[in-house]
Amino acid sequence: MELGIGIGWRPEIADEVEALAGVDWVEAVAENLCDGHLPDSLLRLRERGVRVVPHGVALGLGGADRPDPVRLASLAARAELLGTPLVTEHIAFVRAGGPLTASPRLEAGHLLPVPRTWDALEVLCENVRIAQDSLPVPLALENIAALITWPDEELTEGQFLAELVERTGVRLLIDVANLHTNHVNLGQDPAKALDELPVEAIAYVHVAGGVERNGVWHDTHAHPVTAPVLEVLAELRSRVDPPGVLLERDDAFPPAAELAGELDAIRATLRRAAPPAPAEGPRPAVRGEGPPPAAPVSAGTRDRTAVAQTALLSALVAGTPAPEGFDHRRLRVQGRALAAKRADVVAKVAPELPEILGDGYRAAFLAYAGGRPMSGGYRRDALDFAEHVLIAGGPADPVARRRLTYWWQDRSGARPPRRTTRLVRAARAALVGK
């Protein structure tokens, strides 16, 4: 399945993406698409023959729990709606706690690395098989960037991915920016990882920008693609001709001309790094296709995985002691990054909050996040934060306090307010703001 050159579709750059020349396909974050309805921009792209691939971020297939049937059904519905040739997700865990540990459910709001151990591999493989059985199209999984590494790992990243493909037949989405991130942050060699992983299983490749601060590489998706990331792409291209390559950008969106320039740089890198053309023939079969059925993962294996992941996530978001063997400094960096991302995403899903609270929003949110781990999605987090501020007697400005109160009341009911109620409240808020 040839995809070609693509770009991540985001609402903020929908017009620019439509206008870009030479874009063969786009990728959209699955959780940002509504059930049964596509944005007009994606409909126009599909009418032009541009493929749309849904990219999930919330399944948490590397977590100790089996995949949530509701989330799987939602991803399957989006695949059907888009008529996509495949769907993608991440090799990561995003939540922990709950029944397996008899502790509160914690949400990371971010992709966290699974330990590269045989136990974690067994859990991941069973979760992947469950997902594959629930989806109408093939699944591909992405390697993630990490600030931290687990102690006592038993496999390298390449070995872990190779075992995953061998046992499940799943395809791979290789993010070369993430390989570079792990090189800077964890000392892992991208070339070695590429040598070890089954490159014939690659469905497509991600390329994205980031920035280095104080010796730590931050995979921001908000900066231009750097030369070292393109060098990793060249390493990959010297080994295999990937069916697709996609440019990701999630924030600080540049003008269309800059996006076009980055796509041109990707094309030039692929041309320059291509080895001499082999004799014509089909792509090699994916190693591991049609694996034999595997025995169910034991409860003990899932329990051990759950305890370990819960201890790590609790240390990152709830301030509990760091699990033995972890780098405490790295955990602090990761914890601050998680809190900062929460603040940024809540500001996007509820832009009224930074508008109402002004310059005090970020400090207030980070103080709240330090003592209140996220237990639901970001919209729930926004409501909980607003309630926290109000209970604490804030904001100090009475007009801002009334506006925040009305905002919270509008959204905290069991069901959305009727249209008449919304109009009345909007008029009241406008009067308050005068």
Side-chain angles (χ1 to χ4, degrees):
M1 178 193 60
E2 300 295 329
L3 289 170
I5 299 296
I7 188 169
W9 181 90
R10 304 294 183 264
E12 297 89 341
I13 53 170
D15 292 342
E16 289 82 354
V17 169
E18 285 189 64
L20 284 171
V23 170
D24 303 306
W25 63 291
V26 300
E27 180 192 77
V29 177
E31 288 79 3
N32 292 346
L33 301 177
C34 297
D35 289 334
H37 173 74
L38 292 177
D40 291 341
S41 173
L42 288 182
L43 290 173
R44 288 191 294 269
L45 287 169
R46 290 187 66 215
E47 288 169 0
R48 284 166 37 189
V50 176
R51 285 172 164 163
V52 183
V53 173
H55 185 51
V57 298
L59 272 183
L61 292 174
D65 291 313
R66 289 177 175 81
D68 179 357
V70 175
R71 293 180 190 274
L72 277 175
S74 180
L75 185 57
R78 283 157 175 76
E80 296 278 10
L81 181 65
L82 291 166
T84 183
L86 80 165
V87 298
T88 59
E89 246 289 353
H90 297 83
I91 302 169
F93 79 100
V94 297
R95 61 189 63 87
L100 287 179
T101 59
S103 63
R105 171 74 69 188
L106 298 174
E107 291 279 345
H110 189 67
L111 304 165
L112 294 176
V114 301
R116 290 194 289 268
T117 62
W118 296 108
D119 269 5
L121 179 66
E122 281 191 49
V123 172
L124 172 63
C125 287
E126 184 169 83
N127 288 350
V128 167
R129 293 186 199 100
I130 292 169
Q132 289 171 317
D133 289 344
S134 303
L135 294 170
V137 293
L139 172 67
L141 295 181
E142 179 180 356
N143 60 304
I144 71 164
L147 289 173
I148 56 177
T149 187
W150 288 78
D152 303 322
E153 291 192 314
E154 299 164 323
L155 299 137
T156 66
E157 180 165 28
Q159 292 167 344
F160 193 82
L161 294 178
E163 285 285 343
L164 174 65
V165 170
E166 186 70 33
R167 295 179 183 206
T168 66
V170 75
R171 304 301 298 272
L172 296 177
L173 193 181
I174 295 301
D175 190 314
V176 294
N178 290 349
L179 290 177
H180 172 68
T181 301
N182 294 344
H183 170 63
V184 176
N185 293 347
L186 306 176
Q188 297 172 0
D189 183 1
K192 180 181 179 182
L194 291 172
D195 285 340
E196 292 177 338
L197 65 83
V199 293
E200 70 275 13
I202 294 175
Y204 63 88
V205 174
H206 272 173
V207 181
V211 64
E212 187 171 348
R213 299 191 189 99
N214 301 319
V216 175
W217 186 266
H218 297 270
D219 179 45
T220 63
H221 293 195
H223 292 81
V225 175
T226 62
V229 170
L230 291 176
E231 289 170 9
V232 181
L233 177 64
E235 281 276 358
L236 185 148
R237 178 62 187 93
S238 70
R239 293 162 172 77
V240 69
D241 182 10
V245 180
L246 181 127
L247 172 65
E248 282 191 296
R249 188 72 174 232
D250 292 324
D251 208 348
F253 299 103
E258 290 187 30
L259 294 173
E262 292 199 280
L263 289 170
D264 286 342
I266 289 170
R267 293 186 184 98
T269 299
L270 293 171
R271 287 194 300 269
R272 185 174 63 253
E280 286 294 322
R283 287 185 180 273
V286 176
R287 183 172 53 182
E289 285 184 331
V297 174
S298 70
T301 300
R302 284 196 180 270
D303 289 346
R304 288 191 298 272
T305 303
V307 169
Q309 291 181 346
T310 302
L312 174 59
L313 185 51
S314 182
L316 291 171
V317 303
T320 56
E324 185 177 354
F326 281 93
D327 183 326
H328 291 214
R329 184 182 69 86
R330 292 277 183 179
L331 289 185
R332 288 194 296 271
V333 172
Q334 180 71 82
R336 289 195 297 269
L338 291 179
K341 181 176 181 180
R342 278 177 72 184
D344 291 341
V345 177
V346 166
K348 285 185 176 181
V349 302
E352 302 88 350
L353 294 179
E355 178 192 343
I356 293 169
L357 299 175
D359 293 340
Y361 163 75
R362 193 167 187 85
F365 189 90
L366 292 178
Y368 153 82
R372 292 284 297 271
M374 189 162 64
S375 58
Y378 282 110
R379 287 178 174 79
R380 181 71 257 169
D381 206 23
L383 281 171
D384 290 345
F385 167 63
E387 183 179 43
H388 171 80
V389 171
L390 292 170
I391 290 173
D397 177 64
V399 173
R401 181 170 175 80
R402 285 196 294 272
R403 290 184 65 197
L404 185 62
T405 300
Y406 295 147
W407 181 90
W408 181 82
Q409 288 174 338
D410 280 349
R411 291 157 180 80
S412 62
R415 62 183 64 186
R418 295 176 181 272
R419 181 173 182 275
T420 303
T421 304
R422 292 200 304 269
L423 291 173
V424 170
R425 288 177 177 172
R428 181 173 58 184
L431 290 173
V432 168
K434 289 184 177 181

